[in-house]
Amino acid sequence: MDLFEKCSQFKRHIDIEAAGYMPYFRPISENNGPMVKMEGHDVIMAGTNNYLGLSLDPRVKEAALQATRLFGTACSGSRYINGTLDLHNQLEAALAGFTGREAALIFSTGFQTNQGAIVPLISESDYLVSDAENHNSIIQGSLIVKGKHGPDRVKVYRHNDMAHLDEVLSSLPADSGKFIVFDGVFSMSGELVFLPELVAVAKKHGARTMLDDAHGFGVLGDHGRGTANHFGMDDEVDLLMGTFSKSFASQGGFLAGRREVIDYIKYGSPALQYSASMPPAQIASVLKSIEIMLQEPERMERLFHIQKSVREGLKALGFNVLDGQVPIVAVILADDVLTFSFWRELMNEGVFVNAVIHPAVPQGMQLLRLSFMSTTEDHHIDTILEKFEVVGKRLGVFKQDTAAGY
Ligand SMILES: Cc1ncc(COP(=O)(O)O)c(C=O)c1O
């Protein structure tokens, strides 16, 4: 059969688009923070990772422009060869300081950062141990490990199940290298990792740990220092990983940890070696964002208030909302069609959220993911709640309205 036959057969997206229910790849024609223009209308943006609202901050934009004026738009090479600017080293020093680690290393995307750490660290006698609901970039990294060293080198434990993690680690040879990788804040549900328990299990088995804190930095901990700091466990996790595409208002990612570990990855990571380095404007945006995060902790306080109001409001209306404390609010609808219909109706009412179905979440956990920026105002929240109520009633999804419940 022709290789491209499957592409000719692939029509699902066309049917969904034709029915008007396609929640993905929706273009934004104007970005004004909490309000954006989509499909020719002003829409409340309640599905963004721009948590601190800094991507539109005039100070961040000016820093990006200045860096572009000085260094141009691109680095035109990888860090190894011609792609290292003073700015890259400056940002790594700033991140080491921000996280209280000996050293940091930046990559061109968060996705590459996870692969970039996992692939060089796992050798033929080691094991990668991964939470079942980890971000896909970790899963892709684990596939490379399987390809290089065999499928049994990757072990997956049930989501946030520390007893199962203990069991998995117990099944591995005592003298083998073990690397537990996990999200700090799970990106779809907003749940936090059970860090104290996880670290205790890791220590028991002599395993090393890496915390992907894409959604924790800027949101949790002292001045946004993230999930480990939130738990008072700054020194208890071996490697911290973060992305710049959320609170840091840019694009890229980083690792922070002991210098010898960072150096080992720096000189052995194909994701770093064979990819062009972060452009100047992106680096300058992160540097300015860190400065603002340190000066304006009120942005984090505002985020906490927003997520609490939305979560409590939706629960009071009768929605099935996951508990949490970060600005990711998951409304479980548990059905693909309902999730897409709800998404479409909300769009018609002027509210954009993320529609999330399997495989991004387990079957039965299809959800609408709301996420907020600190610049979201109270009147936006009121409108979001009002529109959820209107659409919820129209689609009959409240517990009291449905025979089956949900
Ligand atoms: C938990 C987590 N890790 C890694 C990534 C990848 O980061 P980026 O989008 O910056 O490449 C994401 C992004 O969605 C994420 O949510």
Side-chain angles (χ1 to χ4, degrees), residues 314-332:
L314 288 171
K315 277 188 183 176
L317 288 172
F319 286 98
N320 183 3
V321 183
L322 296 186
D323 288 331
Q325 51 187 303
V326 299
I328 300 172
V329 177
V331 181
I332 310 294

Side-chain angles (χ1 to χ4, degrees), residues 109-111 114 135 137 183 187 212 214-215 241 243 245-246 251-252:
T109 69
F111 194 101
N114 275 330
H135 188 261
S137 50
D183 290 3
S187 54
D212 172 344
H215 299 272
M241 177 272 174
T243 62
S245 56
K246 280 90 182 157
Q251 185 79 24

Side-chain angles (χ1 to χ4, degrees), residues 9-23 340:
Q9 303 290 330
F10 178 63
K11 297 270 186 276
R12 194 163 167 239
H13 61 304
I14 296 172
D15 299 340
I16 297 173
E17 184 76 70
Y21 289 99
M22 175 57 85
F340 284 179

Side-chain angles (χ1 to χ4, degrees), residues 28-68:
I28 293 171
S29 52
E30 267 178 39
N31 184 2
N32 299 307
M35 294 303 294
V36 296
K37 192 154 264 174
M38 291 172 106
E39 301 180 354
H41 301 287
D42 290 328
V43 171
I44 299 174
M45 173 46 75
T48 177
N49 297 320
N50 182 17
Y51 296 126
L52 299 176
L54 293 176
S55 75
L56 289 170
D57 188 287
R59 295 163 292 181
V60 178
K61 287 204 248 183
E62 186 49 37
L65 288 170
Q66 253 183 42
T68 305

